[in-house]
Amino acid sequence: KKNSKYDKKGTAEKAKAPSSPAALQEKAALEKLPKDVQEKLKAIKIKVEKFQKKVLEKFDKYIVGIALLPPKKPEDQKPEDKDKINVLVLIDDSDSSKMSKYELKDKLTAIMGNIAKEIDKNLKPQAIILSELWQNCYDGKYELLQLISLSAVIFDRGMLAAIKIAEIHKTMILKKFEKYIVSYVLAGSLVQGRATPTSDIDVWIVI
C-alpha cells in the first residue's frame, strides 16, 4: 500500500513539474498565431511526432536528427505542394559496410516513405546522409546547411542544433568581418560522429 501511495504521489508531482523554457517559448509563440494556423500546426506536430516514433523504433542507431522543413516559397510552389509536410531525416552512414552509402540512403528513404504514407499521404521525408552533408561543404555548396538552419527540430542527438547555431554564428561573423575571413570550419566531436546533445560546438575561423 505504501508503495502504491508513493507511486501516485510521485506521478502527481511529475505531472505538475514546470515545462522547459523551450516548451514555454514554443507555446507563447503558438498562441500569437491565428486560431486556424494554430490548429494546423498542432495537427502537423502530431503527425511528425508519430513519424519520429516509428522511424526511431526501426532505425534508432542510424538516425542523427529529424526536423520539419519550412514550406517552399510561394513562387516555387506547385498546387500539389500546398499541403505537403516536408521532413528532413539526417542519417549516420559511418558504419555502412554491407552496402554503399547511397544504397543505404535509398533503402532507408523507401522504407521511411512507406511509414510516412501510413500516417499521412502529404508527409514527405527527405533523407540526408552525413557524408553527403559534409561533401557538400567541401564542394562549397551550403544549401543543405541553410535548410537545416531554417528547420524546426523534432528529434536531435546534438548535430542539428549544432549546425543551426554554427550557421547563425557564421552569418554574424561574415557580416562583421567578411573581408578578413578565409574559412569558417566546423570541427571536433560533431564531425567525427561522436556528438551528443551536450557536446561543445568547436569552430575554427581562418583569418
Side-chain angles (χ1 to χ4, degrees), residues 41-57:
L41 287 175
K42 283 177 185 175
I44 289 173
K45 187 179 179 183
I46 290 168
K47 290 170 187 175
V48 174
E49 286 177 346
K50 194 181 288 186
F51 172 76
Q52 171 205 324
K53 186 180 176 183
K54 290 193 173 186
V55 166
L56 288 176
E57 281 173 0

Side-chain angles (χ1 to χ4, degrees), residues 117-130:
K117 280 178 190 174
E118 290 173 7
I119 297 167
D120 189 316
K121 62 182 176 64
N122 291 315
L123 200 57
K124 304 294 179 185
Q126 179 183 345
I128 302 292
I129 54 177
L130 273 177

Side-chain angles (χ1 to χ4, degrees), residues 90-198:
L90 190 58
I91 299 165
D92 182 1
D93 60 328
S94 57
D95 67 344
S96 58
S97 53
K98 293 180 181 178
M99 59 183 81
S100 74
K101 293 178 184 295
Y102 286 98
E103 282 176 334
L104 174 68
K105 176 184 173 178
D106 291 343
K107 185 177 180 180
L108 294 185
T109 298
I111 296 169
M112 287 189 291
N114 290 331
I115 292 171
K117 280 178 190 174
E118 290 173 7
I119 297 167
D120 189 316
K121 62 182 176 64
N122 291 315
L123 200 57
K124 304 294 179 185
Q126 179 183 345
I128 302 292
I129 54 177
L130 273 177
S131 58
E132 177 185 9
L133 183 67
W134 300 142
Q135 188 60 51
N136 276 12
C137 294
Y138 299 144
D139 295 340
K141 299 173 183 175
Y142 307 117
E143 292 84 358
L144 275 178
L145 294 181
Q146 290 162 4
L147 197 61
I148 290 170
S149 73
L150 295 170
S151 68
V153 176
I154 306 298
F155 167 81
D156 189 21
R157 298 193 194 276
M159 182 65 75
L160 293 180
I163 290 171
K164 285 171 78 72
I165 293 167
E167 270 295 298
I168 293 166
H169 184 243
K170 181 187 78 174
T171 302
M172 292 168 69
I173 291 292
L174 290 176
K175 190 175 181 180
K176 196 164 183 68
F177 305 110
E178 185 171 7
K179 66 178 182 179
Y180 301 107
I181 306 300
V182 177
S183 297
Y184 184 98
V185 184
L186 186 63
S189 60
L190 289 162
V191 294
Q192 293 165 10
R194 298 184 288 106
T196 69
T198 55

